[in-house]
Amino acid sequence: MTGNRHRVAAFLDAVEETLIAVLLGLMTVITFANVVARYVFNDNLLWALETTVFLFAWMVLLGTCYAVKKSLHLGVDIIVSRVSPPARRLLGLAAVAASLAFSILLVVGSWNYWYPFATGQAFLEVNDIPMPAFLQFLAGWMNEGELYEKIPKFIPYAVLPLSMALLTWRLAQAGWRIAAGDIEMIIASHEASDRGDEPTP
């Protein structure tokens, strides 16, 4: 059972890492193509800027969740590193609790922001990104059969509730790992050791 859990975790890690890498790669390719179009062909990809903005938002928000999962976020640990392990665990749990409270507010806010775009305002489109033909089936579901010219806003904006729900889940996992003694903090920095200071016993 434990082996299956590790395989599933490794698979999910690979999916998240691949998705983040693909988003970064697409941003790079689109930006490069637009530079070539401007300075070589004296043309412009009208949809390039808006596309890279949305790709960047997806990459940052999903990357934030992944960084919580891997304890990669930076933070100040000068005080935490100087207290006993039990106190360190309590401080870690307090940090998770505060982060969870904030992330739950973000889940509610992001859902309330996105939901109208997926219901009564599903006809609203982005400014420049053309709607791919393979996604036009959404018009029958969301737009009373009227084909979209541009991508509807509910598609790129879906990262808001998705990433905030994932962030909440990752924080809950981190809290469980702290409570179980697997980790002590949800941050990655070690300022005290970087300065050469040793934690007091």
Side-chain angles (χ1 to χ4, degrees):
M1 189 68 177
T2 303
N4 290 336
R5 189 178 304 150
H6 285 313
R7 280 193 291 271
V8 171
F11 173 75
L12 293 177
D13 282 355
V15 169
E16 289 183 77
E17 291 167 1
T18 301
L19 178 57
I20 293 169
V22 167
L23 293 171
L24 178 60
L26 286 173
M27 286 175 55
T28 304
V29 169
I30 292 171
T31 301
F32 177 76
N34 198 30
V35 170
V36 171
R38 283 189 178 190
Y39 293 99
V40 176
F41 299 102
N42 197 27
D43 200 352
N44 184 31
L45 302 177
L46 293 177
W47 49 267
L49 177 59
E50 189 175 39
T51 302
T52 54
V53 168
F54 285 134
L55 290 173
F56 183 72
W58 276 73
M59 183 184 69
V60 168
L61 291 172
L62 294 177
T64 297
C65 305
Y66 183 77
V68 170
K69 178 181 181 180
K70 296 296 184 179
S71 298
L72 297 175
H73 284 288
L74 298 179
V76 178
D77 65 350
I78 293 177
I79 296 176
V80 176
S81 64
R82 293 179 178 274
V83 300
S84 65
R88 200 173 300 155
R89 182 179 298 179
L90 287 175
L91 289 173
L93 289 172
V96 169
S99 300
L100 271 172
F102 183 63
S103 70
I104 290 171
L105 290 176
L106 290 176
V107 169
V108 174
S110 62
W111 175 264
N112 289 339
Y113 180 79
W114 173 79
Y115 185 72
F117 291 110
T119 53
Q121 299 177 18
F123 59 90
L124 292 177
E125 302 173 343
V126 301
N127 294 326
D128 299 316
I129 307 173
M131 182 67 165
F134 73 91
L135 290 178
Q136 286 291 3
F137 70 91
L138 293 173
W141 296 356
M142 313 292 291
N143 202 33
E144 299 180 350
E146 184 176 347
L147 296 181
Y148 289 106
E149 292 184 8
K150 305 291 193 285
I151 287 179
K153 289 186 176 182
F154 67 82
I155 293 179
Y157 290 4
V159 73
L160 295 171
L162 174 65
S163 62
M164 293 305 100
L166 183 58
L167 177 62
T168 302
W169 172 246
R170 294 303 188 205
L171 287 169
Q173 286 181 316
W176 178 260
R177 294 176 64 199
I178 291 175
D182 296 334
I183 60 174
E184 293 182 332
M185 300 180 292
I186 58 173
I187 60 174
S189 67
H190 304 284
E191 286 82 2
S193 59
D194 290 343
R195 291 182 7 253
D197 298 341
E198 292 296 330
T200 56

